Amino acid sequence: GNYDVAKEHFLKYLDFQGIDQYNTIDNLSMCYLFLNKPDSAYHYANILVKNRRDYIVHNFESLSNRERELFWDRASGPFNNLCNSIVKSGRADLMGQLYDDVALYSKGLLLTASSSPDYIERLQINWHDVQRCLKKSEAAVEFIATPHEEADSSLYVALVLRYNSEQPIMIKLGKGVEIKSAIKDGYTTSALSEIIWSPLKDELKDIKKVWFSVDGILHKIPIEYLPYNKKKNISDIYQLYRLTSTRELVIHNPNLIEENGVLYGDLTYTPSSYNSTSNNDSDEDLVRTASKRPLPYAKDEIKKVSTILKDKGIPCKIYDQDQGTRSSLLALNGQPISYLHLATHGYYYEIDTIKGEKLNIPSL
């Protein structure tokens, strides 16, 4: 259709209250993609992708399996737009974000990974963590098939990460139809290597070991055993190791993650509980009411603690105001956290009340 007209239509809709903002923004980013304006498409798609990531971290554990399936169905569209907008723009500053998000929304990992008890922990792994696992002669490569309605039209790209990369480097490879055509020649020629491996030659210079993860039709091809030229196979040039995701380098090397801290303080408590004056309040209700009031000096406390940690080179995440929720604390289960600091009110429950909600942070 006329995407200029559609774009104006969706922009106008954003001014109205009560409309489905989610679908409107998703459609708007899609319009900008068709109009070949990837930066604008990225702007709107990124709003939704960040929203989805925050939702996962704070609410995912409480969702049923069916609710998770529905969530992924809705989340995949914005990521498809985000992926295509970053690839089309070729912006080097966005390659790290693409590397971080690709395992979350693509490669068929959505539902299988989300069923894992440590899924939230794995969600926090980023390309910096993967890079710290690489030695000088190693590289990690994420092969990506950019989402498209027709698989043959998907553009395949590789994100190459070296031990000293400032950002992952994106290299465009070819379309699905070109890879399918090369497959017809069988695995006795270098046709497939010319599409998949030859474009990476410069970025893999001096590299001996490559950890890689594939996507799309590459799942069906033994790309680690392809002929590279008439004399050598690709396995004669690199030691190649196939992974489900390059995040596995971190998952199986948890000690390589640097020290970190998580701080809770200056929280927003339930306003309706401030002025509870009922004569029927039980002792526990009165304690809970008192604990809803703002806690003086908590803001200064976590600020000073964060300064101490940062002075020692230890990064920390602060949960304050509305971010400091019960669900966000429970989402820390199993994560490798070095320091956990709570500047909050506290009161005791009976043991039966908290059964099954123990916080397990093995590195503390």
Side-chain angles (χ1 to χ4, degrees):
N2 191 324
Y3 291 101
D4 274 312
V5 174
K7 179 196 71 175
E8 297 302 324
H9 173 76
F10 289 123
L11 281 171
K12 186 186 297 183
Y13 258 52
L14 289 179
D15 295 331
F16 292 91
Q17 298 295 322
I19 66 160
D20 188 339
Q21 296 274 342
Y22 187 97
N23 281 333
T24 300
I25 294 176
D26 189 27
N27 286 321
L28 188 56
S29 66
M30 193 178 301
C31 284
Y32 276 115
L33 275 176
F34 278 102
L35 293 171
N36 199 29
K37 296 181 178 180
D39 285 345
S40 297
Y42 166 79
H43 170 74
Y44 288 103
N46 194 42
I47 292 173
L48 298 185
V49 169
K50 283 187 174 180
N51 175 272
R52 297 296 87 187
R53 177 179 282 273
D54 290 342
Y55 183 86
I56 292 171
V57 171
H58 296 105
N59 302 284
F60 204 70
E61 288 187 346
S62 64
L63 299 181
S64 67
N65 287 338
R66 178 55 181 160
E67 287 171 331
R68 292 184 182 192
E69 290 178 8
L70 293 173
F71 172 81
W72 287 129
D73 287 342
R74 202 173 192 195
S76 59
F79 173 74
N80 291 349
N81 293 339
L82 182 80
C83 180
N84 280 305
S85 64
I86 293 177
V87 170
K88 282 190 174 183
S89 68
R91 285 175 51 182
D93 60 311
L94 299 180
M95 295 308 152
Q97 181 180 358
L98 182 59
Y99 194 106
D100 291 346
D101 285 342
V102 69
L104 174 61
Y105 291 103
S106 67
K107 299 196 173 187
L109 301 180
L110 304 182
L111 298 178
T112 54
S114 66
S115 63
S116 171
D118 56 359
Y119 175 71
I120 298 298
E121 173 190 343
R122 297 184 178 193
L123 177 64
Q124 312 304 318
I125 297 172
N126 58 41
W127 69 269
H128 292 285
D129 299 322
V130 175
Q131 186 179 53
R132 283 193 285 270
C133 296
L134 297 174
K135 297 179 181 178
K136 188 174 181 179
S137 60
E138 298 179 349
V141 180
E142 288 279 358
F143 290 99
I144 304 171
T146 59
H148 199 281
E149 292 180 1
E150 298 180 3
D152 285 356
S153 298
S154 294
L155 175 64
Y156 283 74
V157 301
L159 289 176
V160 181
L161 180 64
R162 296 171 57 108
Y163 76 98
N164 58 350
S165 302
E166 294 184 4
Q167 287 271 355
I169 302 297
M170 183 185 73
I171 299 173
K172 295 182 180 180
L173 306 177
K175 290 190 175 182
V177 65
E178 296 170 331
I179 295 175
K180 279 189 174 181
S181 177
I183 291 176
K184 293 178 181 178
D185 294 335
Y187 302 134
T188 58
T189 73
S190 61
L192 278 168
S193 279
E194 289 172 5
I195 298 174
I196 298 168
W197 290 112
S198 293
L200 310 185
K201 183 172 62 175
D202 291 341
E203 287 301 325
L204 296 181
K205 185 179 180 180
D206 301 324
I207 295 296
K208 296 179 180 179
K209 183 181 293 185
V210 178
W211 308 90
F212 72 95
S213 173
V214 298
D215 196 11
I217 197 174
L218 299 186
H219 279 296
K220 302 177 181 180
I221 304 173
I223 65 173
E224 57 268 56
Y225 303 112
L226 296 176
Y228 188 72
N229 52 39
K230 292 181 179 181
K231 296 182 179 181
K232 292 183 177 181
N233 290 333
I234 187 66
S235 57
D236 295 324
I237 300 173
Y238 312 110
Q239 298 174 43
L240 297 164
Y241 297 88
R242 180 185 291 248
L243 305 173
T244 303
S245 166
T246 54
R247 292 177 181 217
E248 289 181 39
L249 290 173
V250 181
I251 294 168
H252 297 300
N253 292 277
N255 294 329
L256 294 178
I257 299 179
E258 292 182 354
E259 285 189 301
N260 62 92
V262 175
L263 315 179
Y264 277 77
D266 190 30
L267 306 183
T268 300
Y269 298 95
T270 308
S272 60
S273 299
Y274 291 171
N275 302 314
S276 177
T277 56
S278 170
N279 294 328
N280 297 323
D281 286 338
S282 66
D283 289 344
E284 185 179 50
D285 288 335
L286 290 173
V287 171
R288 292 185 182 185
T289 298
S291 70
K292 302 292 185 178
R293 297 193 179 101
L295 184 62
Y297 308 115
K299 183 176 183 178
D300 291 337
E301 181 175 336
I302 59 170
K303 184 177 180 180
K304 288 180 180 179
V305 173
S306 69
T307 299
I308 292 172
L309 293 176
K310 289 177 181 177
D311 286 344
K312 294 180 178 294
I314 301 172
C316 60
K317 166 70 175 176
I318 295 177
Y319 289 87
D320 58 7
Q321 301 295 313
D322 292 332
Q323 290 183 327
T325 61
R326 171 178 170 276
S327 59
S328 71
L329 182 63
L330 292 176
L332 299 177
N333 270 324
Q335 290 194 36
I337 298 170
S338 307
Y339 305 93
L340 176 63
H341 185 90
L342 306 176
T344 67
H345 286 294
Y347 47 86
Y348 294 96
Y349 286 104
E350 294 295 330
I351 189 65
D352 290 341
T353 307
I354 61 172
K355 187 176 181 181
E357 293 191 2
K358 294 180 180 179
L359 193 63
N360 174 28
I361 301 178
S363 58
L364 285 175

